[in-house]
Each structure stands twice: as structure tokens, then as C-alpha cells.
Amino acid sequence: MIKYIAVYRRPDDAAEFDDRYFGSHLPLVDKTPGLLRQEIAKVKRVYVPGFFGDTEPYLVAELYFESEAAMKAAFKSPEWQASGANLSEIGGMDLVAMFSAEVEAAE
């Protein structure tokens, strides 16, 4: 299993970002073919201050796919492209760092 992780820094207007992220972006992400599940979490506390420099993490999104091939196929889909365009429209691309990670152990 592989997951795509997006870490968002705190937006200037968190309430507006939340409305747009949860109201328009996530419904588009939900339509991504091959997406097994997703977890969206708001950061409540940073235990190692300064690790991210001056950036305060705000939101972590984890999207799970069966394999790297499934994830790559999903990234080519019109649904994924639409979610990316939406993220740009709502200002999320200016707030996010994205990467993938292979799941090595899970309970």
C-alpha cells in the first residue's frame, strides 16, 4: 500500500479555507478512481517546535492507494485533475507540501 500525503500550513483565514477545502475540494478527491480511503486531520499541537521552520502545520491529508501503479493511474484521471484545479482555485497550492510514502507497517 502507498499513501499520498499533503501537509498544509496554516492559512491566513482558516475558516474560509476550511469551508472551501471541505466543501468543494474533498468531494472532488472522493471521486478519484483507485482511492481506497482518506484521512484528513487538523494539527492540534506541534511537539518539536521549529522542525518545520517558521511554518505552522495546519492540516494533514493522507490518501491511500493499493499500489504505486494504482496511485499513478489515479493521478492521470480527470477526477484527480479536477481536484488539483480546485485546490489551485481555493488557494491550497500556496499552502501545501506533497509527497508519497510506502506503508511498511500497519495495525
Side-chain angles (χ1 to χ4, degrees):
M1 182 172 292
I2 193 162
K3 63 182 174 175
Y4 174 84
I5 304 163
V7 179
Y8 294 84
R9 64 182 165 84
R10 180 168 294 283
D12 291 334
D13 186 337
E16 179 183 350
F17 178 79
D18 285 357
D19 286 346
R20 298 176 85 188
Y21 184 85
F22 290 99
S24 67
H25 183 64
L26 283 187
L28 292 171
V29 172
D30 287 339
K31 297 176 183 177
T32 302
L35 178 63
L36 299 176
R37 71 184 171 106
Q38 62 177 307
E39 295 177 358
I40 311 301
K42 284 192 178 176
V43 175
K44 296 297 180 189
R45 182 175 174 193
V46 175
Y47 291 97
V48 182
F51 181 80
F52 293 105
D54 293 337
T55 300
E56 181 182 348
Y58 177 69
L59 193 76
V60 179
E62 296 177 284
L63 286 64
Y64 293 81
F65 298 90
E66 182 179 320
S67 65
E68 186 174 355
M71 183 177 69
K72 286 180 178 181
F75 290 174
K76 293 178 182 176
S77 72
E79 294 86 354
W80 184 262
Q81 299 302 316
S83 71
N86 173 264
L87 189 60
S88 291
E89 290 170 10
I90 68 171
M93 293 301 279
D94 296 333
L95 303 172
V96 69
M98 299 176 239
F99 52 96
S100 64
E102 183 117 14
V103 177
E104 297 290 330
E107 291 184 27

